[in-house]
Amino acid sequence: MEALFGVKRKIALGVTALAAIAVSAVPGSATPSAAGNQAGSDHWGVITRNTIGSPVAALRNGPFGSFGVTGPSARPPYGTGSLGIEVADNSTSLTPPSEKVDFGNEVDFYGNPVLGLNKVGFHVFQTGENTSHGGPGNMPNIKFEINPNLTAAPATTYSSMVWLPPAAPVTDRWSPYLDATTTGQWFLTGNAGTTTGCNQSTPCTFTQLKTALNDGGPAPTIYTAAVGKGRDNLWAGAVDGLRINQNIYDFEAHGVRTLRAN
Ligand SMILES: [Ca+2]
Ligand SMILES: [Ca+2]
């Protein structure tokens, strides 16, 4: 797969007539990561611990469109596929009855420094229906499970660090890159949220969150990274081009490709 990808790039660079085809599949802002492509792709999937009900988080082709939409926003930003996500808001016997899903990686980010996160974001396919179900803030999240290593709460060794994206600037088509370090808000679950003040009731900017976590002593570390949704509103859409520092994770029907951001 990687060899084929490399060939496509060479064609794109050398033959103008074919460039449009190749570049539409592989934007010029990223190239395949020689080391990361094979190393990381097998470690992505539904994180079962964090999944409630029978939601969908499936690597799929498209979505293309919606109908009548043309140009770059009518196709996934990388390759031809994406991560499709579907959750229901009232389908379990639990309280709340809503579903939840996290699609992520429990291996490749383990032990990495939270304070080393400098580039985070994704592209989303948001629909008008989703905003009807839950308002413009009804969006999927980026989540890092972390050890916050807070001096004021040394016994707290687990928290989820969650990005609440801004409203998608467009619906029924692919969004531009949504930057989680400069837009939207972040919070920490559990006692880490209480201790830092960055909790779901009073979320913080990314800068404020990092400042709160940079409290001396042992530094916060990452357990897992994921894209997820829930538990809140009904949502059906897709995500592609998950950015975490130097890598862009290209969700495709047949796996997750790691691209290196240029
Ligand atoms: Ca893709
Ligand atoms: Ca600390």
Side-chain angles (χ1 to χ4, degrees):
M1 189 172 201
E2 191 174 345
L4 178 62
F5 193 73
V7 170
K8 278 188 179 178
R9 288 286 298 174
K10 286 171 186 169
I11 291 170
L13 292 171
V15 183
T16 304
L18 293 175
I21 298 168
V23 169
S24 68
V26 184
S29 60
T31 52
S33 168
N37 193 14
Q38 298 305 318
S41 60
D42 291 343
H43 296 147
W44 291 87
V46 168
I47 299 180
T48 50
R49 290 179 292 106
N50 300 339
T51 295
I52 296 170
S54 54
V56 174
L59 296 171
R60 54 160 290 179
N61 205 41
F64 297 96
S66 298
F67 64 85
V69 177
T70 58
S73 64
R75 57 173 299 131
Y78 298 92
T80 59
S82 66
L83 173 67
I85 296 173
E86 299 167 17
V87 294
D89 63 350
N90 189 7
S91 71
T92 76
S93 60
L94 305 177
T95 304
S98 47
E99 293 181 336
K100 174 184 176 182
V101 69
D102 278 355
F103 183 98
N105 188 319
E106 301 191 70
V107 177
D108 297 319
F109 301 93
Y110 183 73
N112 288 357
V114 175
L115 299 179
L117 290 170
N118 293 310
K119 302 284 187 184
V120 182
F122 61 30
H123 298 248
V124 65
F125 191 99
Q126 170 73 312
T127 67
E129 282 79 2
N130 290 333
T131 63
S132 297
H133 300 321
N138 187 20
M139 290 273 282
N141 311 102
I142 294 173
K143 303 179 184 180
F144 294 95
E145 292 178 292
I146 69 170
N147 182 343
N149 268 326
L150 294 168
T151 302
T156 299
T157 58
Y158 177 90
S159 179
S160 289
M161 182 174 129
V162 183
W163 181 48
L164 304 169
V170 292
T171 55
D172 299 322
R173 68 198 67 199
W174 281 98
S175 79
Y177 178 67
L178 303 182
D179 189 337
T181 69
T182 59
T183 66
Q185 294 180 299
W186 289 82
F187 69 90
L188 297 169
T189 62
N191 189 48
T194 305
T195 302
T196 59
C198 293
N199 53 60
Q200 198 160 5
S201 300
T202 57
C204 294
T205 66
F206 187 69
T207 301
Q208 289 169 334
L209 177 74
K210 285 180 74 173
T211 298
L213 287 169
N214 189 10
D215 69 341
T221 58
I222 296 172
Y223 293 135
T224 72
V227 173
K229 179 58 181 169
R231 302 157 82 188
D232 42 37
N233 301 300
L234 192 65
W235 198 83
V239 167
D240 198 22
L242 171 65
R243 176 84 186 260
I244 299 177
N245 285 348
Q246 76 277 18
N247 289 333
I248 295 168
Y249 298 96
D250 174 15
F251 299 124
E252 291 291 287
H254 301 294
V256 179
R257 298 191 305 177
T258 303
L259 309 179
R260 180 75 63 162
N262 291 330

